[in-house]
Amino acid sequence: GVVSPGELEKRRRPRQTANQRTSDTSSGAMKLALALLLAAAASAQNENVIVLDGSGTTNPSKYFWDILALFEARAKPVVHMTYRAVGSSTGQFEFMGEDNPAGAFVPYSDFGSGDMPFNEEKYQSLQGANIEVLQVPFSLGAMSFFDNVPDDYQPEDGVKMSACVLADVFSGRVTTWDDPAIVELNEGFAPPEGEPIVVYHRTLGSSTTKGITTYLFEATREDCPDKWLEADVGSTIEWAAGTEAVQGSGGMSAAISATPWSVGYIDAGHGIRDGLGETALCNRAGTCQKVSAAIAAGGVQMAAEEALNKAVMPSDPKADFSKVSLMNMPGDKTWPIVAVSYLYIDADQTETGSKGPLLYAFVEYVLSDAGQALLAEYSFIGVPVDVKALGYRALDDMRLASDAKKWTFETSTVKGGGQEDYVISAKRRSWYEYELGELDASIHSHEDEFHGDGDEGDHDHADPDHDHADPDHDHADP
C-alpha cells in the first residue's frame, strides 16, 4: 500500500530504550525550564528596550537596514529598530492609519518612507486630522527600463527607446521587437521576425509605477500627447491586456532576468546590481543613454538642480509636496526619470516617550554628511545642499516630550561621557558590524588593487576610529 510521509518518518527513526525515553523526557523538561527562564529575562530586558518601527519603499531598504543595524550595535541603552520594505503606498497607508481599528488616524508605524510625496487628497486628510506631517527629502534615485534582449541581438549601447515608443509598448500598441518604431531607433538591430515583447509591470501600490507613469505622461505631452493620458498616471493603474504583473522590486528583477525578450521597470540601483540589460532611454534633449552612463555623468543631480531652479520643491517641510516632480527635466545628459525619496515624520512627538528622540537621531543621521555618503554604497545619490537644509528645518519642527533625553554621537573618545546613556558611540560595536566592516574594507582593497588606485586604507571601515556613517554635521548650520 501507500505509506504516508508521517509513517515513513517513523520508520526512519531509531527505536528508543526505556532509559533513552526517560532521559529525553528529563532533557526536554530542562530545556523547557531554561526556555522559560530566558523568556522571563528577555521580557524584563525588553521593558527597557526602546523600539522604533518604520515601513515603506523597498528601494532604499538596504540603506535603512544598514543604519538601523549600526544604531542597534552602538546605542546605549538598548534599542531595537525595524523597517519593513512593503512599498511606498503601504508606507503611506501605515503612517496615516486612517482606517486603523485602534482608532482613526492612529499610525501603524513610527515613521514611513516613500519615493513619492503624499498626494493632495492624503495631505489634506492628514491636515484635517490635525497631523502635521513632515516630508523629508533624503535621497535621489534614478528609475529606468530594463530588458532581456539576448546577447546575440543586444546592441552594444543597449536597445534605444523613446518615451513615445515605450508608451506604445506598455499600452499594448507595440507588441513585437521588430516593430518599425523600435527598429528605426536602433540601426542594425535585427530581432527574430514577430518576436513578442513580454511586458512586466508592478502590482499593488508602487512608487516606481507612479514615477514611470508620470514620466510617460510628461515626456509624451509634446511629441505624442495621445500616447499616455494623465488618467494613466498613479501608483496603481489599469494596465493593458497582455501585460504581466509582478510583486516588488525583487519580483520584477527576477521576472526580467528569467524571461528572454522581456522588458520592465525598476529602480536603477536594483537593476544595475542584478546585472539586468539597460534600455538606452532617450531624454528630452534626444540623448539616448543607459542609466549607468547617466549616473556617471551626473545626470541625476542635473535633474534635481533643474527642479530647484524651477522652484518645484517647497522650502517648508510641512508644506504640500504633491506637485514635486523631477521627471523629464531639460539638459543634454540629464536622466529623465528621477525620484525623490522621503521620510514621513509626525512633527508632534510629545506623546511618544523615548521613541521621539530616537527618531530624531535617526533622521539626523540620515541627513548627516556620512549618512548621505552611505547612499552611494546602495546606488543612490544624496540630495543637494539646499534640499538637505530642508531636512534640517524638519528636525527643528519636531516637538519632543518635555522630559525627552536627546541622543548624542561619540565619534572620538569622550572619557566617561561616551559611557553615559543616550549615546551612539563609534567605539561601541558588535562583532557582526565589525566583521561586516572588515569584509567591506577587504572588498574595497581588492577593488583598488584591480583598478590600480594604490590608496590603501581609504575604505578602512573596520577601524574603530572610523565611523562610516557618522552624523558629523551640525544641523543648525546645514
Side-chain angles (χ1 to χ4, degrees):
V2 178
V3 181
S4 70
E7 181 62 28
L8 183 60
E9 181 60 26
K10 287 179 183 178
R11 294 180 184 181
R12 287 174 176 164
R13 295 174 189 159
R15 297 178 65 185
Q16 292 180 312
T17 64
N19 287 339
Q20 284 174 323
R21 287 193 292 271
T22 301
S23 175
D24 285 351
T25 302
S26 300
S27 175
M30 290 179 64
K31 287 178 180 177
L32 177 60
L34 180 58
L36 291 172
L37 285 172
L38 290 173
S43 177
Q45 185 184 38
N46 284 340
E47 292 179 1
N48 299 317
V49 174
I50 303 171
V51 178
L52 194 72
D53 300 312
S55 63
T57 173
T58 61
N59 291 340
S61 55
K62 295 181 180 66
Y63 168 74
F64 284 150
W65 293 331
D66 192 343
I67 293 175
L68 300 185
L70 187 143
F71 265 53
E72 290 185 343
R74 299 185 177 188
K76 179 179 179 284
V78 176
V79 302
H80 179 63
M81 304 170 73
T82 73
Y83 180 80
R84 286 169 55 247
V86 289
S88 297
S89 292
T90 301
Q92 291 189 352
F93 174 88
E94 294 185 348
F95 176 85
M96 293 180 69
E98 186 172 6
D99 301 317
N100 193 335
F105 290 98
V106 174
Y108 294 89
S109 56
D110 299 314
F111 69 93
S113 182
D115 301 317
M116 57 187 183
F118 284 99
N119 64 29
E120 186 176 1
E121 181 182 355
K122 290 179 179 178
Y123 177 78
Q124 292 300 332
S125 294
L126 288 166
Q127 294 289 298
N130 294 318
I131 296 172
E132 198 172 50
V133 58
L134 302 171
Q135 300 185 77
V136 183
F138 70 92
S139 170
L140 301 176
M143 299 176 183
S144 190
F145 296 88
F146 290 85
D147 60 65
N148 189 353
V149 173
D151 291 344
D152 290 345
Y153 297 92
Q154 180 75 252
E156 183 178 351
D157 296 324
V159 178
K160 296 177 183 177
M161 292 275 198
S162 67
C164 294
V165 172
L166 284 164
D168 278 342
V169 168
F170 279 81
S171 61
R173 288 186 292 268
V174 167
T175 59
T176 63
W177 285 98
D178 63 342
D179 189 285
I182 297 176
V183 174
E184 286 173 7
L185 282 173
N186 296 273
E187 185 178 353
F189 180 51
E193 183 177 353
E195 184 65 52
I197 303 174
V198 180
V199 178
Y200 288 116
H201 64 81
R202 287 279 296 273
T203 187
L204 303 178
S206 163
S207 59
T208 313
T209 297
K210 175 68 179 294
I212 289 295
T213 56
T214 300
Y215 158 73
L216 289 174
F217 172 66
E218 293 289 344
T220 58
R221 291 174 71 178
E222 293 181 7
D223 297 334
C224 48
D226 59 328
K227 298 284 189 184
W228 201 272
L229 304 180
E230 190 170 9
D232 296 323
V233 173
S235 58
T236 56
I237 69 167
E238 289 293 328
W239 291 95
T243 59
E244 300 188 25
V246 294
Q247 187 169 341
S249 298
M252 177 65 77
S253 180
I256 296 172
S257 180
T259 312
W261 299 105
S262 63
V263 65
Y265 56 85
I266 195 173
D267 67 280
H270 206 139
I272 293 170
R273 282 195 306 273
D274 290 353
L276 301 180
E278 300 179 42
T279 303
L281 189 57
C282 304
N283 66 12
R284 188 170 176 176
T287 303
C288 302
Q289 58 186 336
K290 293 181 177 181
V291 65
S292 57
I295 291 172
V300 175
Q301 295 96 321
M302 291 176 191
E305 290 163 3
E306 286 290 341
L308 288 171
N309 291 338
K310 294 176 178 293
V312 170
M313 189 170 290
S315 58
D316 183 355
K318 301 186 295 295
D320 181 359
F321 279 68
S322 62
K323 304 301 183 186
V324 174
S325 174
L326 273 62
M327 301 298 171
N328 204 39
M329 290 287 118
D332 288 344
K333 293 293 184 180
T334 301
W335 186 252
I337 317 177
V338 177
V340 182
S341 292
Y342 300 86
L343 288 168
Y344 309 136
I345 308 295
D346 189 337
D348 185 5
Q349 296 289 323
T350 57
E351 302 297 326
T352 62
S354 56
K355 288 177 179 283
L358 183 58
L359 178 58
Y360 182 101
F362 171 69
V363 177
E364 184 180 21
Y365 181 85
V366 168
L367 294 172
S368 72
D369 289 348
Q372 289 285 287
L374 184 63
L375 286 162
E377 296 190 19
Y378 298 95
S379 301
F380 293 98
I381 297 166
V383 294
V385 172
D386 289 345
V387 177
K388 191 161 70 167
L390 178 64
Y392 285 117
R393 283 194 284 276
L395 283 175
D396 292 333
D397 287 335
M398 287 181 69
R399 301 186 299 278
L400 305 179
S402 58
D403 59 347
K405 175 72 173 177
K406 277 191 175 181
W407 290 80
T408 60
F409 296 86
E410 182 189 31
T411 57
S412 57
T413 302
V414 179
K415 292 183 178 179
Q419 196 68 342
E420 296 289 335
D421 281 344
Y422 301 100
V423 176
I424 298 169
S425 174
K427 306 297 180 179
R428 188 187 305 81
R429 308 181 72 177
S430 69
W431 177 89
Y432 174 73
E433 187 223 344
Y434 175 83
E435 284 298 306
L436 283 179
E438 286 281 310
L439 178 61
D440 188 43
S442 175
I443 291 171
H444 283 298
S445 177
H446 286 303
E447 285 178 346
D448 289 346
E449 290 175 10
F450 179 78
H451 293 294
D453 290 344
D455 285 333
E456 296 182 3
D458 284 353
H459 303 280
D460 187 10
H461 293 175
D463 178 0
D465 291 326
H466 182 86
D467 182 11
H468 80 281
D470 161 40
D472 52 3
H473 188 98
D474 183 0
H475 85 266
D477 181 21

